[in-house]
Amino acid sequence: MPELPDVAHFKKYLDATSLHQTIRHTVVHDRAVLEGVSAPRLRNTLQNRSFESTNRWGKYLFVEVQQSPWLVMHFGMTGFLDYAAEPAKSPAHARVVYQFDSACRLAYVCQRKLGLVTLAEDIESFGRSQGLGPDAMDEHFDSGQFLSRLDGRRGAIKSALMNQDILAGVGNVYSDEILFQAGIDPTRTVGDLDGGELRNVYRTLRKVLRKAIDRNADVARLPSNWLLPHRERGRSCPRCGQELDQIKVSGRTAYVCHGCQH
DNA sequence: ACATTGACCTGAGAGC
DNA sequence: TGCTCTCAGGTCAATG
């Protein structure tokens, strides 16, 4: 579930807790989340260094390590960060634990192991190697760019929004929210939407992500007339009261209000 | 080149 | 109670 707003929250969380502390050591509890880096290399890279700053691109979090490559974390669908004072028990499913001199530690938790931890020399080339499109909240990513990157696409608008090569950061849940608020049926194809509708999707995308970031992607704090707090089987639309439909779009579960979305 | 589907992973919840 | 089945969803490889 961690999408752009969730990762933005993890970034704030790491910034507020874990910068400028010497890393005493790093414990890899499960190497399955490591990709392209061995446990010893990760340990050695971080040893006696500190986290200096962070960046985010789509669903990836980058952590600047003093005089070293960047630490890269992706959270799959169940990942998050947990900071606590030692000797706190590691939370269940902690896969990598960064232990600081201050006797506190930051745990990378990932129950379903669909996330990843790695190192990268620089953000730009890492993103390019992943084929990532522009970050959905990048200031340079404007509606003109949005339209041109969608040009020639044949699939459903929902699938395009979730395609990280086109734009990075939107996943299944927020693509539903964006299309709900834009009043557009997720099964409609990109080519079927006119310029006005696509610009509306762009504006809504920015508005939804902005507010979700401001609220720390906390569902309990999102407006009750959003789809997200009601995104469950059998629930009804917070705007028109009609029962929500649960459908599949390219194999992904989608929630749609056929009273509001056309 | 682009779209779609299944696999990966694990635990919660449903159904019997 | 306990077993089995299905489902969640981010990404990638395989297939269309």
Side-chain angles (χ1 to χ4, degrees):
Chain A
M1 218 219 298
E3 302 183 29
L4 189 155
D6 306 276
V7 181
H9 173 55
F10 301 154
K11 172 173 159 43
K12 287 185 224 170
Y13 182 83
L14 195 154
D15 287 347
T17 59
S18 304
L19 296 184
H20 316 304
Q21 301 185 51
T22 303
I23 301 163
R24 188 165 17 102
H25 57 261
T26 302
V27 183
V28 177
H29 289 289
D30 194 329
R31 54 184 33 164
V33 299
L34 300 185
E35 204 164 290
V37 64
S38 67
R41 173 153 178 258
L42 183 68
R43 277 200 300 271
N44 291 339
T45 300
L46 301 181
Q47 173 106 44
N48 294 327
R49 298 213 167 79
S50 60
F51 296 146
E52 292 299 308
S53 69
T54 56
N55 267 288
R56 185 192 55 70
W57 185 352
K59 301 170 188 173
Y60 288 89
L61 179 62
F62 300 86
V63 186
E64 182 191 3
V65 182
Q66 205 179 28
Q67 302 162 346
S68 298
W70 292 78
L71 172 67
V72 185
M73 290 184 274
H74 187 285
F75 298 90
M77 73 170 282
T78 54
F80 62 94
L81 297 173
D82 180 72
Y83 182 83
E86 291 281 7
K89 229 171 64 183
S90 281
H93 316 297
R95 307 303 181 189
V96 179
V97 177
Y98 314 101
Q99 291 180 336
F100 301 111
D101 260 355
S102 62
C104 292
R105 56 96 179 125
L106 180 71
Y108 166 86
V109 186
C110 192
Q111 182 202 104
R112 281 175 217 179
K113 301 185 190 177
L114 293 177
L116 79 92
V117 173
T118 191
L119 297 172
E121 283 305 323
D122 72 284
I123 296 175
E124 195 57 38
S125 52
F126 177 86
R128 230 195 315 279
S129 72
Q130 299 289 315
L132 283 187
D135 183 82
M137 289 309 284
D138 190 307
E139 55 178 314
H140 302 298
F141 180 59
D142 58 19
S143 70
Q145 237 190 87
F146 180 67
L147 262 67
S148 68
R149 296 186 71 83
L150 287 175
D151 194 44
R153 293 283 167 169
R154 297 180 266 111
I157 180 66
K158 176 177 170 66
S159 308
L161 290 178
M162 291 172 61
N163 185 334
Q164 305 300 299
D165 304 354
I166 297 176
L167 73 163
V170 177
N172 197 32
V173 171
Y174 279 93
S175 62
D176 275 0
E177 186 67 51
I178 290 159
L179 293 171
F180 171 72
Q181 292 194 31
I184 290 177
D185 188 307
T187 61
R188 287 182 65 194
T189 59
V190 173
D192 180 49
L193 299 171
D194 65 33
E197 288 175 313
L198 289 174
R199 278 187 289 276
N200 178 29
V201 172
Y202 172 81
R203 277 195 308 275
T204 309
L205 159 95
R206 299 281 280 203
K207 191 185 70 184
V208 165
L209 296 179
R210 177 76 264 152
K211 179 151 284 191
I213 291 168
D214 290 344
R215 305 279 168 100
N216 283 345
D218 179 352
V219 181
R221 295 181 58 209
L222 294 179
S224 61
N225 66 347
W226 279 29
L227 174 68
L228 225 150
H230 312 274
R231 198 178 171 281
E232 282 170 49
R233 193 153 215 156
R235 299 285 294 278
S236 52
C237 172
R239 302 199 176 178
C240 77
Q242 177 172 328
E243 187 170 332
L244 297 170
D245 290 306
Q246 191 208 51
I247 61 172
K248 292 279 182 189
V249 179
S250 294
R252 300 260 80 122
T253 304
Y255 286 82
V256 52
C257 171
H258 282 110
C260 298
Q261 295 172 258
H262 303 284

